[in-house]
Amino acid sequence: MLLKGATLTLLSLVVFAVISKATGSPWNEEQRWVSEKLDPARYDVATRPVKNITDVVEVTVEMTVFGISLDSRNQELSAKSVSNMGWEDKRLSWNTSEYGGMESIVVKANRVWYPNILILNAISGSTLIPSDTELLITNEGAIFVSVSRYLSTQCYLNQELFPYDTQVCWIYLGIRGTPSDVVSLTALQHGQNEALIAETTNWELKNVSLVDTSAPACIEHSASVSCRHVALVSTYICIKRLGGYYVYTAIIPVSILTVMASFVFLLPSGCGEKLSFSVSVFFGFVIFQLVLLDGLAETGDGKPSILVRYVMFTFVLTGIAVIESAITLILRNQNDNPEARLPVNKVEPLKNDNEPQDDSEVTLHGLQIAKSVPRNWEKIAVYVDRISFVLFWIVYITVLITLVAELLDDPGCPEYL
């Protein structure tokens, strides 16, 4: 009897399984929800989730930046970010009691309608929400998505204050070809957690904000339609370069070379290595110029950076020191040059002491004797060196103060509104 009952129970389960498979009965409440709500006959992924065609789909956007790097030469901003977006689709709402108390479900983005938000100034990979991204749908029809990705965008730099420059970069999010009265984007303001920024970066994050804007260009469908703009969410990123690396690798070595160049004026004018010493320091500046130019982007019509101007200025000063060294060596060698003596005219014999002498004859005789004495060019060379040393430091300190004053006048992060 028991065996017969067990056999009937087993047969009943088999028949139920066969019938369920044949009729397509869902495995659980989630599968039933997907089969009912996402049935292609009832749900169209290509149409907006609005009942009235004049209604606007409002999409909220929030972005958090975790890491920043900036390629100064190629002017490219790379950032690790998480973008959170949300909108409503009332076609997907349900009563929790009809689905076993289920309050939310996760589905792929390609199964439902979602805004095709693009990173408009991206260098590569402009799609913000890939089709295989998982969306969270609540029973009220609210849809949320969180996308983590590595962004690479163009950022045009102003490097006049390099290596202590402050840069402003923008990340533009929008739906290309869709006006703001069809799908609108709303930025959610939030405080950026600076502790999340990678410590290995050479930049200090000053400000990250999201701004609601619109594209400047119009979407014209016909001459009778008024100007319609694409909605944009612009992410404003203000960062300041940490210049410690350039202090140790460029500023301090160039300053040392400048001090060494000034000591060429203190070397004896007869020192044979004076000119070679100044030329060696001069070529040291040439090497630093090549290193700096290799790491900077072209600035177009803008002024060169402070560091480039500082190196160029000290480069010119050293070049002047080389020329001055050559001049003092030429002056020093005038003592050994017979041509340095002015020609002495033949002097008439002096008259007898008892004979009266004309005052004009005495004066002419004294001048002829003075012209026969060689000039002391070595002392002149020393005087030129001392004067050049003082002028060198006056000019250097004046220009240095000017550059530092320009650096201290940095306005920092500008207002973005």
Side-chain angles (χ1 to χ4, degrees):
M1 191 69 179
L2 293 176
L3 181 60
K4 184 178 179 181
T7 303
L8 291 176
T9 303
L10 181 60
L11 289 174
S12 300
L13 292 174
V14 172
V15 171
F16 177 78
V18 172
I19 294 175
S20 298
K21 185 176 182 181
T23 59
S25 298
W27 173 256
N28 55 26
E29 300 300 334
E30 290 187 359
Q31 185 178 358
R32 184 165 69 89
W33 183 92
V34 170
S35 61
E36 292 178 359
K37 293 292 184 179
L38 302 183
D39 183 3
R42 302 175 57 186
Y43 185 88
D44 185 7
V45 298
T47 57
R48 296 182 303 131
V50 292
K51 197 168 186 179
N52 192 337
I53 195 172
T54 59
D55 292 341
V56 180
V57 179
E58 297 182 357
V59 181
T60 58
V61 181
E62 180 184 23
M63 178 177 287
T64 303
V65 178
F66 289 91
I68 292 175
S69 63
L70 188 59
D71 186 349
S72 298
R73 185 166 183 81
N74 297 320
Q75 304 193 47
E76 295 180 5
L77 172 71
S78 299
K80 297 178 182 178
S81 66
V82 173
S83 301
N84 300 318
M85 289 151 286
W87 63 95
E88 287 188 351
D89 191 343
K90 293 300 183 180
R91 297 175 296 178
L92 302 178
S93 60
W94 70 91
N95 191 336
T96 57
S97 60
E98 296 179 0
Y99 293 92
M102 184 179 67
E103 297 182 351
S104 63
I105 188 172
V106 176
V107 298
K108 296 290 185 181
N110 57 6
R111 300 295 302 274
V112 301
W113 180 93
Y114 67 94
N116 186 22
I117 301 177
L118 303 176
I119 307 170
L120 300 180
N121 60 336
I123 296 177
S124 61
S126 60
T127 302
L128 186 61
I129 307 178
S131 59
D132 59 347
T133 304
E134 294 184 341
L135 310 179
L136 176 66
I137 306 176
T138 67
N139 63 299
E140 297 177 350
I143 302 178
F144 301 96
V145 58
S146 181
V147 180
S148 176
R149 55 171 304 172
Y150 193 79
L151 306 176
S152 181
T153 61
Q154 198 74 39
C155 180
Y156 298 101
L157 308 182
N158 181 359
Q159 302 186 86
E160 291 184 7
L161 298 180
F162 175 86
Y164 293 100
D165 49 327
T166 300
Q167 301 296 339
V168 173
C169 299
W170 294 87
I171 300 176
Y172 297 105
L173 305 179
I175 304 175
R176 186 175 291 126
T178 304
S180 58
D181 57 357
V182 175
V183 178
S184 67
L185 301 179
T186 303
L188 295 181
Q189 298 290 344
H190 66 285
Q192 177 67 39
N193 187 358
E194 297 184 6
L196 297 177
I197 301 299
E199 297 180 355
T200 57
T201 182
N202 292 326
W203 297 87
E204 178 186 1
L205 182 67
K206 289 296 185 180
N207 189 10
V208 175
S209 300
L210 270 69
V211 188
D212 295 331
T213 56
S214 59
C218 300
I219 302 177
E220 299 286 352
H221 295 288
S222 65
S224 60
V225 177
S226 60
C227 180
R228 306 166 75 188
H229 297 275
V230 174
L232 296 179
V233 169
S234 302
T235 304
Y236 166 89
I237 301 176
C238 181
I239 52 179
K240 184 176 180 62
R241 193 191 304 266
L242 301 177
Y245 170 79
Y246 298 96
V247 170
Y248 295 107
T249 59
I251 296 178
I252 292 179
V254 168
S255 300
I256 293 175
L257 286 176
T258 305
V259 174
M260 293 173 61
S262 68
F263 277 96
V264 73
F265 302 117
L266 303 180
L267 294 177
S269 57
C271 180
E273 289 76 17
K274 182 176 183 177
L275 185 60
S276 62
F277 173 78
S278 58
V279 171
S280 299
V281 176
F282 182 79
F283 279 109
F285 283 103
V286 174
I287 296 174
F288 273 103
Q289 280 281 20
L290 296 176
V291 172
L292 289 178
L293 292 177
D294 186 60
L296 291 176
E298 297 180 1
T299 56
D301 295 333
K303 291 191 301 184
S305 68
I306 280 185
L307 183 56
V308 171
R309 280 181 280 161
Y310 174 68
V311 175
M312 178 58 69
F313 164 69
T314 53
F315 177 75
V316 172
L317 273 184
T318 306
I320 295 174
V322 173
I323 297 174
E324 193 275 343
S325 300
I327 292 175
T328 55
L329 286 177
I330 294 173
L331 293 177
R332 165 65 176 76
N333 293 330
Q334 290 296 317
N335 281 343
D336 301 327
N337 188 357
E339 297 179 357
R341 298 172 180 267
L342 294 176
V344 180
N345 296 329
K346 182 178 180 181
V347 181
E348 297 293 335
L350 294 178
K351 297 181 179 179
N352 194 316
D353 293 340
N354 296 327
E355 296 179 3
Q357 298 184 14
D358 186 36
D359 292 339
S360 60
E361 293 181 357
V362 175
T363 304
L364 179 60
H365 180 72
L367 290 174
Q368 290 172 337
I369 295 176
K371 289 181 180 180
S372 64
V373 179
R375 296 176 180 176
N376 194 344
W377 292 103
E378 186 173 357
K379 287 186 177 181
I380 296 177
V382 173
Y383 293 149
V384 172
D385 276 339
R386 298 299 182 265
I387 295 173
S388 300
F389 178 80
V390 174
L391 292 177
F392 181 96
W393 279 103
I394 290 176
V395 175
Y396 175 75
I397 294 175
T398 302
V399 175
L400 184 62
I401 292 175
T402 303
L403 295 178
V404 172
E406 183 179 346
L407 187 63
L408 296 177
D409 196 36
D410 180 15
C413 294
E415 295 292 335
Y416 59 87
L417 293 178

